[in-house]
Amino acid sequence: MLSSFTRSTVRSHRVSAPIFNTFRSPGLTLLKPHAFTFTVRSAVTKSAKLPSSGFQGLKDKYKKTYRTITTATFVWRLFRTATLGFGIYSSGRMVGIAEYAKDPRDMEKQLTSQLLMGCAWEKDTKGNPKKPELLRLSHPTHKKIEEVGERIVKAARVLSEAKIKSRRERLERLEIGKDGDKDDRSSLIEEIKHWERNRKMCKGNWTYLVVRSPVPNAFVSDLTPRKIFVHHSIVEGLNASEDEIAMILGHEISHLLHGHTAKRHRNQMISNIVLLVLLSALDATGLFTLFSLPMTNYLQRLVSSANSREHEEEADITGLKIAALACFNTHVGPEIFGKLAKLSGKDGDDVIAGWTDTHPLPLDRLKNLKAKSSEINCDNVGHCHGFLERYREARRTGMRRHYNESVGHLTED
């Protein structure tokens, strides 16, 4: 039985008898649902003593609260996704560190083997990549690369010591308040630590892995420090001189000095997390993510390629400095990029670098380094005066002790 309030409400809105009777019936079979809905809404409005547009009033009254809750939910979703992505990355990194700590030598062998497989250009009978052949230590090409490499590594140590010295002097001036802003103190300390690690790295024994491959290439990796991978075709295929080999090795060591591999991995991690956060915020269903994968991958490739070209240009300049400190002819060394341009067919003036190219055009690198070599050359390096005569005499006589002394002379200044 209905209360007096309900009967008065229904009566005030002149609800028809069939609906009223149906409402009272046990089956609750509504003949006019829209009339019944209007009746209930009117009853609630009257009981709350709201105007005829009561529900619109409630909506306006709580609009600010609704927006606040929606915004908080959106921000929480972004934070949750970013935390999840960073957590996955950190967990993987910790697992890698733990695995490396168990047996560093074995892990380094595995990493070296994987990097060598990346140089594979032949396939076995089953169609799998065939592990490339390494030149023997007694091979003339290997000897040539190793002798140039010893001078380049020692020159990289000289450069690291010079960087440390200059930054310590700047730090001293900052501390006594004679120069610069005191906010730069922390950055200078970090730079000093960075170059001290580089100096320590250059003191160790280096390994030169000369791979038999028809594709001229050379590379380094932070995963296997003190190892330089060189394809033998750089020397034999391009007929590279010692000055040109020094330009290549100096360039590769510069990647290690600047930490380009670590920066590339960090930038890739950040871009992946940002992409994950954006897609989770803008696409809760996942359908847009599925269809936009080619586009997002292409955008990531554009950003990665732009960073890679910047790293290559930085390594070119630092490599030229290292070659000059090692008393090589920096006017001749950059000619290796002219040879690479002819080999790749990109030796024309009308060739334009693509947005997805990871390296600048060889001719552009040649022109840039030729211009820089007028200032960066061994003629402006004090310890190179008289060094080449002693070095050549030691090599001519085959006296290894005097050869080592000549190379060690690079660290006296």
Side-chain angles (χ1 to χ4, degrees):
M1 187 173 181
L2 297 178
S3 64
S4 58
F5 166 75
T6 306
R7 285 199 297 271
S8 62
T9 302
V10 174
R11 193 179 303 114
S12 65
H13 290 282
R14 298 179 181 179
V15 180
S16 59
I19 295 181
F20 181 74
N21 294 332
T22 304
F23 185 79
R24 293 176 61 185
S25 63
L28 293 178
T29 305
L30 300 179
L31 300 179
K32 296 181 179 180
H34 61 280
F36 176 73
T37 303
F38 176 75
T39 301
V40 175
R41 181 177 297 177
S42 301
V44 174
T45 303
K46 185 175 181 180
S47 63
K49 295 183 180 181
L50 294 175
S52 58
S53 58
F55 277 87
Q56 183 64 34
L58 286 174
K59 183 178 179 181
D60 295 338
K61 181 178 179 180
Y62 295 104
K63 184 184 294 185
K64 185 177 181 180
T65 304
Y66 173 77
R67 288 180 178 177
T68 303
I69 295 174
T70 305
T71 304
T73 304
F74 180 76
V75 172
W76 168 248
R77 187 190 304 169
L78 294 181
F79 176 77
R80 181 186 60 186
T81 307
T83 304
L84 178 62
F86 185 76
I88 294 174
Y89 167 79
S90 301
S91 299
R93 184 173 182 272
M94 293 304 298
V95 171
I97 293 175
E99 290 293 329
Y100 190 88
K102 289 180 181 178
D103 193 346
R105 291 186 178 181
D106 182 65
M107 182 60 66
E108 187 171 349
K109 288 181 180 179
Q110 294 182 27
L111 294 173
T112 302
S113 178
Q114 292 178 8
L115 291 172
L116 285 175
M117 289 303 298
C119 305
W121 59 279
E122 290 182 315
K123 294 185 178 181
D124 56 18
T125 56
K126 296 182 180 180
N128 299 321
K130 185 178 179 181
K131 187 175 182 179
E133 177 187 355
L134 293 177
L135 298 187
R136 294 180 178 273
L137 299 181
S138 58
H139 195 281
T141 299
H142 192 285
K143 284 185 175 181
K144 189 175 184 179
I145 293 174
E146 185 178 9
E147 289 175 357
V148 173
E150 286 184 359
R151 291 170 60 183
I152 289 295
V153 170
K154 291 184 179 297
R157 178 183 171 185
V158 173
L159 179 66
S160 300
E161 291 173 346
K163 294 284 187 181
I164 294 171
K165 182 179 178 181
S166 64
R167 279 151 180 76
R168 282 179 176 172
E169 291 175 352
R170 289 171 56 188
L171 185 61
E172 290 177 359
R173 290 196 296 268
L174 285 176
E175 289 177 346
I176 61 178
K178 289 185 177 181
D179 185 26
D181 189 355
K182 292 184 178 181
D183 294 337
D184 298 333
R185 185 175 182 275
S186 59
S187 62
L188 284 175
I189 293 175
E190 289 299 322
E191 290 183 17
I192 291 173
K193 292 180 180 179
H194 171 78
W195 286 105
E196 284 179 344
R197 289 193 296 268
N198 288 336
R199 180 178 61 181
K200 182 179 179 181
M201 176 182 63
C202 294
K203 285 183 178 180
N205 296 324
W206 285 65
T207 303
Y208 305 89
L209 301 173
V210 185
V211 184
R212 189 178 295 278
S213 172
V215 182
N217 190 23
F219 62 94
V220 293
S221 175
D222 287 346
L223 301 176
T224 56
R226 301 190 183 94
K227 281 187 173 65
I228 301 180
F229 300 79
V230 183
H231 292 192
H232 88 293
S233 54
I234 284 184
V235 178
E236 299 181 11
L238 299 179
N239 193 24
S241 64
E242 287 188 349
D243 298 313
E244 293 171 336
I245 296 173
M247 185 69 238
I248 294 296
L249 297 184
H251 172 89
E252 297 304 331
I253 288 182
S254 298
H255 282 305
L256 289 176
L257 296 181
H258 291 294
H260 287 160
T261 304
K263 290 179 181 178
R264 184 173 68 250
H265 291 161
R266 183 171 61 253
N267 292 338
Q268 185 177 3
M269 181 268 294
I270 293 175
S271 65
N272 288 336
I273 292 179
V274 170
L275 183 62
L276 179 64
V277 170
L278 290 178
L279 291 178
S280 64
L282 303 177
D283 181 28
T285 62
L287 294 178
F288 176 76
T289 303
L290 180 63
F291 292 108
S292 65
L293 279 179
M295 178 61 70
T296 54
N297 290 337
Y298 183 73
L299 292 176
Q300 282 187 306
R301 185 180 176 186
L302 289 179
V303 175
S304 176
S305 299
N307 291 333
S308 178
R309 290 193 296 271
E310 291 180 1
H311 292 168
E312 294 298 326
E313 292 173 356
E314 185 179 27
D316 281 346
I317 301 302
T318 305
L320 194 70
K321 294 178 181 179
I322 292 175
L325 288 172
C327 305
F328 287 99
N329 190 342
T330 54
H331 300 290
V332 177
E335 294 291 343
I336 189 68
F337 294 110
K339 297 179 180 180
L340 290 172
K342 291 181 180 180
L343 183 65
S344 62
K346 296 182 178 180
D347 55 344
D349 295 333
D350 57 340
V351 180
I352 301 176
W355 287 357
T356 57
D357 289 344
T358 57
H359 290 64
L361 290 177
L363 279 185
D364 292 342
R365 301 170 76 176
L366 173 61
K367 294 176 183 178
N368 185 34
L369 291 173
K370 278 285 190 180
K372 295 289 185 181
S373 64
S374 60
E375 301 176 1
I376 306 173
N377 55 70
C378 60
D379 296 333
N380 298 328
V381 180
H383 62 238
C384 289
H385 301 159
F387 165 78
L388 292 179
E389 289 74 13
R390 295 192 303 273
Y391 172 72
R392 288 167 183 162
E393 178 65 19
R395 287 190 60 188
R396 186 183 64 81
T397 58
M399 298 178 67
R400 187 69 181 178
R401 181 175 61 84
H402 295 299
Y403 165 75
N404 288 333
E405 289 177 356
S406 298
V407 175
H409 179 69
L410 287 173
T411 60
E412 292 180 6
D413 263 3

